[in-house]
Amino acid sequence: MNEQTEQTESGVVIVGAGMAGVQTAVALREGGFTGPVTLLGAEPHQPYDRPPLSKAVLLGKAEDSAFDVDFEALDIGLRLGTEVTGLRAAARELDTEAGPVPYGVLVLATGAQPLTLPGTDGVPGVHLLRTLDDAERLRPVLAAAPSVVVVGAGWIGAEFATAAREAGCEVTVVEAADRVLAGALPAEVAEPMARWYEEAGAGLVTGAKVAGVEEGRVLLADGRALPAGAVVVGIGARPATGWLAGTGVSLGPDGSVTADAHLRTSLPGVYAVGDCASFPSARYGTRLLVHHWDNALQGPRTVAANILAGEPAEVYDPVPYFWSEQFGRFVQYAGHHGGADTLLWRGDPGERTWSVCWLKDGALVALLAVGRPRDLAQGRKLIETGVLVDPAKAADPATPLKSATA
């Protein structure tokens, strides 16, 4: 019996009760693990899914988005409202306000925390949208249909602007970069997406830094003042790993836990999964930090398999995937285009549906699909297999991607 197997028998503790934490606990039970499983959640609510927060919950179409998981039947110990403040690896113990929690094997699934806008602490009417409580605070604000300023034209900013327009609010989105989705997509791909704001009746101000926020208005660095009955900040997120400083868990410059290919951390018997962890991708030849729902769904299966095996049995190297619903469009993305050498359009970006393919050395490595879910499904399979594609066929929107192989 190896050391991890012995430790496993004394229980698995999972820090974080979001998608990654919950799915790890469920995967352990589905895999036949019979030892104690404890799930620690900082929030007092039953574990819930986050994507509906910016849509159904925010607009009052759903009260919450609790996971459909019977924790009691699965014998998963839930300890909610329990914030973990420290880790003492030598003792195999976690520190919490309620006292120490021992672990045999530990899984870090603490997710990410939203970046705040400097100087806005305590300013009335400034909101983040990350938690159920955030959504519940924002719901009556939107129902009153004030003028809303959204800071940040990334994925979450676009989704919130969509919801606010649906609620009847006047919306202005302010972005410090010179274009939307500056950190996510090349300029030529993001450019047609900027037009969606105007079509939806939302204002878009790019290349504009926020100098300050006062009650009722947002002050820009160029001297302009935007009226704001509410301000929503969506400028990105950072792994929620500050509490791990000095614990022996290796962290990257981006704050992520630097897991290995098996999602193990630098400490024995400690794994990391989801938004808080980066992992080396042999497929893309780089380390990836993926802040998206599918990563928090897929990674736990690898963690559970490796815990159950008691050794590094399974490698985690997925084709990253996410989706976004904004301005009446369903946007999907698969892969990682960072090292691509060729960009191909499938369709006219001025139309309602189109796709973009990224190739590297003749193989499809990433795909963005706007209203073309079949492209996404077929393209994702091509990325997984790594087969070469014919650029002329791939660029023809009438040719199914599965038929575009070279």
Side-chain angles (χ1 to χ4, degrees), residues 16-23 39 41-54 57 63-69 71 78 80 129-137 293 296:
M19 171 63 84
V22 168
Q23 289 299 321
L39 193 60
E43 295 182 56
H45 311 289
Q46 278 290 113
Y48 61 88
D49 204 5
R50 292 190 189 278
L53 296 185
S54 62
V57 175
E63 285 303 310
D64 60 32
S65 54
F67 291 116
D68 185 18
V69 174
F71 294 99
L78 269 184
L80 303 176
L129 181 54
R130 181 72 184 180
T131 68
L132 181 59
D133 287 341
D134 291 338
E136 289 178 344
R137 279 190 290 267
W293 186 90

Side-chain angles (χ1 to χ4, degrees), residues 339-344 357-366 389-391 394:
D341 53 39
T342 304
L343 185 152
L344 301 173
C357 297
W358 285 270
L359 310 183
K360 182 179 181 182
D361 299 329
L364 186 67
V365 292
V389 301
D390 181 325

Side-chain angles (χ1 to χ4, degrees), residues 27-194:
L28 283 168
R29 289 295 187 233
E30 289 179 343
F33 181 69
T34 57
V37 176
T38 304
L39 193 60
L40 305 179
E43 295 182 56
H45 311 289
Q46 278 290 113
Y48 61 88
D49 204 5
R50 292 190 189 278
L53 296 185
S54 62
K55 306 175 187 74
V57 175
L58 190 61
L59 293 172
K61 297 177 181 178
E63 285 303 310
D64 60 32
S65 54
F67 291 116
D68 185 18
V69 174
D70 191 334
F71 294 99
E72 187 174 350
L74 290 172
D75 193 23
I76 295 169
L78 269 184
R79 295 182 58 177
L80 303 176
T82 303
E83 185 166 356
V84 178
T85 57
L87 163 62
R88 287 174 287 113
R92 291 210 176 217
E93 281 188 340
L94 295 165
D95 292 322
T96 76
E97 292 180 353
V101 176
Y103 67 86
V105 172
L106 176 64
V107 180
L108 305 175
T110 49
Q113 56 196 31
L115 298 175
T116 58
L117 198 60
T120 58
D121 284 350
V123 177
V126 178
H127 301 265
L128 298 170
L129 181 54
R130 181 72 184 180
T131 68
L132 181 59
D133 287 341
D134 291 338
E136 289 178 344
R137 279 190 290 267
L138 264 168
R139 187 159 56 187
V141 173
L142 285 195
S147 56
V148 176
V149 172
V150 180
V151 183
W155 300 113
I156 188 65
E159 289 186 3
F160 181 81
T162 299
R165 286 297 298 140
E166 188 174 331
C169 303
E170 289 186 16
V171 177
T172 303
V173 180
V174 177
E175 170 57 51
D178 61 359
R179 56 191 173 86
V180 304
L181 294 164
L185 296 173
E188 62 187 297
V189 177
E191 190 274 331
M193 301 169 83

Side-chain angles (χ1 to χ4, degrees), residues 124-125 146-150 213-218 225-232:
S147 56
V148 176
V149 172
V150 180
V213 178
E214 299 175 351
E215 187 172 3
R217 63 179 190 161
V218 173
L226 304 176
V231 179
V232 178

Side-chain angles (χ1 to χ4, degrees), residues 321 330-334 346 353-357 364 367-383 394 396-404:
Y321 166 75
F330 186 46
V331 184
Q332 296 170 283
Y333 178 95
R346 281 174 61 81
T353 66
W354 48 274
S355 297
V356 173
C357 297
L364 186 67
L367 176 88
L368 175 79
V370 177
R372 292 179 66 99
R374 186 173 297 174
D375 277 5
L376 191 288
Q378 295 179 7
R380 192 175 184 181
K381 290 178 181 176
L382 292 179
I383 296 170
D396 178 5
T399 300
L401 271 178
K402 65 182 181 181
S403 303

